[in-house]
Amino acid sequence: LRVPLVPIKGYHEIILEEHMGELNFKQKKALRTSLKNIERLQEIIENILNYSRIESGKYQILNTRVKVEEVIEDALLRLENIIEGKKVEIIKKYTDNGAYIMIDREALKQIFINLISNAIKFSKDSTVSMSLSVEEDGDRYKIIIKDNGVGMDRSKIDLVLQSFRQMEEGDTRKYSGIGLGLTVVEKILDYYGEKIHINSHLNRGTEVYFYFKKG
């Protein structure tokens, strides 16, 4: 599932950068739209594969000393094509010397990709405002992702944490995806003995936070 997407995405980027000839405005717009959907498909496939591995007990963890802020920047780079075209304001509040933890780098990256892409997807309009914070909290780091999106009722929070469930379901739902992102985040955090915490209010945005031990 994943391997064919690599050359597809690569050729789109090469053509968009005009290495194969000049493009007019409409062609560039069409390619950017296509590239955004490739990114979304890549995200869906990653979540399906990770969910499958976790459920079957075959999720491979390689713990190394990781700087949290670097992984956040990697996730933002991965989401660059999805962010493009939206007015995005990101406020970053990082630790002075860097937050180092022992974790599987790709697993942590997947957490940030899912949470940040949710903040973008559930924005009210073309303007997205979010804050990414890493704070010291005793012997742990508190990591917070906060947005100004559509938010949700308290009753919906348990629903979105269930596998293949979304805030809105059926033919009338507005948002794309298969409802696995938060489930994968929750299961990765559970492996490390941590939990996902969600504070949300309808039309006032959502705050998601979790902890990791220093080290």
Side-chain angles (χ1 to χ4, degrees):
L1 285 170
R2 186 171 51 188
V3 172
L5 277 183
V6 176
I8 292 170
K9 182 183 175 186
Y11 274 114
H12 271 68
E13 289 172 339
I14 289 168
I15 295 167
L16 195 54
E17 289 165 6
E18 298 187 317
H19 293 301
M20 294 182 172
E22 289 186 17
L23 302 171
N24 62 41
F25 175 77
K26 285 184 177 179
Q27 289 169 330
K28 285 183 178 179
K29 187 178 178 182
L31 275 171
R32 286 194 185 99
T33 301
S34 182
L35 197 53
K36 285 177 188 176
N37 283 287
I38 290 168
E39 294 278 6
R40 288 194 181 100
L41 183 58
Q42 197 170 18
E43 185 187 329
I44 288 168
I45 289 170
E46 287 293 340
N47 279 328
I48 290 171
L49 292 175
N50 286 330
Y51 180 82
S52 176
R53 291 185 192 115
I54 291 166
E55 287 297 287
S56 64
K58 294 178 181 178
Y59 192 85
Q60 292 185 337
I61 293 290
L62 178 63
N63 290 328
T64 57
R65 190 169 181 262
V66 169
K67 187 177 179 181
V68 174
E69 292 88 346
E70 285 182 359
V71 181
I72 292 174
E73 294 301 320
D74 284 350
L76 288 171
L77 195 62
R78 164 75 181 275
L79 294 168
E80 204 171 47
N81 291 314
I82 293 174
I83 291 171
E84 192 176 344
K86 286 179 176 279
K87 186 179 177 184
V88 180
E89 179 189 42
I90 302 175
I91 300 166
K92 299 173 185 175
K93 298 175 183 177
Y94 292 162
T95 57
D96 293 333
N97 301 312
Y100 289 91
I101 62 175
M102 287 296 292
I103 195 170
D104 183 276
R105 188 184 185 92
E106 286 304 310
L108 183 60
K109 185 176 170 183
Q110 196 63 40
I111 288 174
F112 287 126
I113 286 171
N114 282 324
L115 295 179
I116 295 169
S117 65
N118 271 356
I120 296 165
K121 180 164 61 172
F122 295 108
S123 58
K124 291 177 185 175
D125 44 44
S126 59
T127 302
V128 182
S129 178
M130 76 173 86
S131 63
L132 305 171
S133 305
V134 184
E135 303 173 354
E136 292 196 48
D137 188 341
D139 64 346
R140 302 185 298 174
Y141 292 111
K142 183 180 181 181
I143 301 160
I144 310 159
I145 293 138
K146 193 173 182 179
D147 66 64
N148 69 335
V150 296
M152 57 185 150
D153 289 324
R154 180 72 208 173
S155 60
K156 299 281 188 181
I157 293 175
D158 290 338
L159 174 71
V160 297
L161 287 172
Q162 294 176 32
S163 305
F164 300 103
R165 297 295 296 273
Q166 283 209 333
M167 188 168 61
E168 290 187 353
E169 296 192 309
D171 296 335
T172 58
R173 69 184 178 91
K174 302 174 186 175
Y175 306 102
S176 62
I178 55 170
L180 269 184
L182 282 178
T183 305
V184 169
V185 170
E186 187 182 39
K187 286 183 179 292
I188 292 171
L189 288 172
D190 184 62
Y191 177 86
Y192 288 97
E194 302 293 346
K195 292 185 180 296
I196 185 170
H197 304 270
I198 302 174
N199 294 323
S200 189
H201 301 278
L202 196 61
N203 298 319
R204 286 166 53 194
T206 300
E207 178 188 66
V208 178
Y209 65 94
F210 52 93
Y211 296 89
F212 275 114
K213 291 176 183 176
K214 294 179 180 179

